């Protein structure tokens, strides 16, 4: 319901992940703001929203979700999280700032099925090994 997350909501709907993320969870969602999506290279969001790119969009969005509840105070420097898409993300904590990969957690909001950490960048899953 946050006006700062309308792009994320649009993407979740396009990826057909609304039901999955609405179930009991528990989930930790790292939720990029609209400004974070706007900072991606031109055409990235529009491209991912195309029906033919649904699996790529699902991969990106599922890289923002961890199964379980991780409150900000329980995130530790050097911690590795196994994200829903199967890739790992790295937590770092410096000067009281919590980061996931290169995105900073700017706020945390409890949800009925977990917790949402608002982040200032879209984190992209690592490229598959060739």
């Amino acid at each position: 319901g946050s006006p700062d997350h309308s792009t994320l909501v649009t993407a979740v709907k396009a990826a057909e992940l609304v039901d999955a993320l609405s179930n009991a969870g528990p989930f930790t969602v790292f939720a990029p703001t609209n400004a974070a999506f706007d900072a991606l290279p031109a055409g990235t969001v529009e491209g991912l929203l195309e029906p033919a790119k649904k699996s790529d969009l699902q991969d990106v969005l599922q890289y923002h979700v961890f199964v379980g509840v991780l409150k900000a105070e329980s995130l530790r420097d050097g911690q590795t999280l196994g994200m829903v898409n199967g890739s790992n993300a790295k937590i770092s904590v410096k000067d009281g700032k919590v980061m996931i990969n290169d995105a900073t957690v700017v706020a945390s909001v409890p949800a009925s099925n977990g917790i949402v950490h608002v982040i200032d960048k879209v984190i992209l899953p690592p490229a598959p090994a060739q």
Side-chain angles (χ1 to χ4, degrees), residues 21-47:
L21 293 174
S22 298
N23 77 27
F27 298 115
T28 297
V29 176
F30 294 90
T33 60
N34 291 345
F37 280 102
D38 292 344
L40 290 171
T44 302
V45 174
E46 296 78 7

Side-chain angles (χ1 to χ4, degrees), residues 58-70:
Q58 288 172 335
D59 187 44
V60 169
L61 293 174
Q62 290 173 343
Y63 190 57
H64 290 77
V65 180
F66 175 84
V67 176
V69 177
L70 297 171

Side-chain angles (χ1 to χ4, degrees), residues 22-108:
S22 298
N23 77 27
F27 298 115
T28 297
V29 176
F30 294 90
T33 60
N34 291 345
F37 280 102
D38 292 344
L40 290 171
T44 302
V45 174
E46 296 78 7
L48 285 170
L49 291 175
E50 292 177 13
K53 294 286 189 179
K54 185 166 86 173
S55 67
D56 292 340
L57 179 60
Q58 288 172 335
D59 187 44
V60 169
L61 293 174
Q62 290 173 343
Y63 190 57
H64 290 77
V65 180
F66 175 84
V67 176
V69 177
L70 297 171
K71 294 183 178 177
E73 58 271 16
S74 66
L75 296 170
R76 300 283 172 246
D77 191 49
Q79 187 175 8
T80 299
L81 302 180
M83 307 307 277
V84 168
N85 78 333
S87 296
N88 290 330
K90 188 82 157 183
I91 298 295
S92 58
V93 181
K94 292 183 182 106
D95 302 323
K97 275 202 278 190
V98 176
M99 297 183 73
I100 181 163
N101 295 352
D102 62 347
T104 302
V105 174
V106 295
S108 299

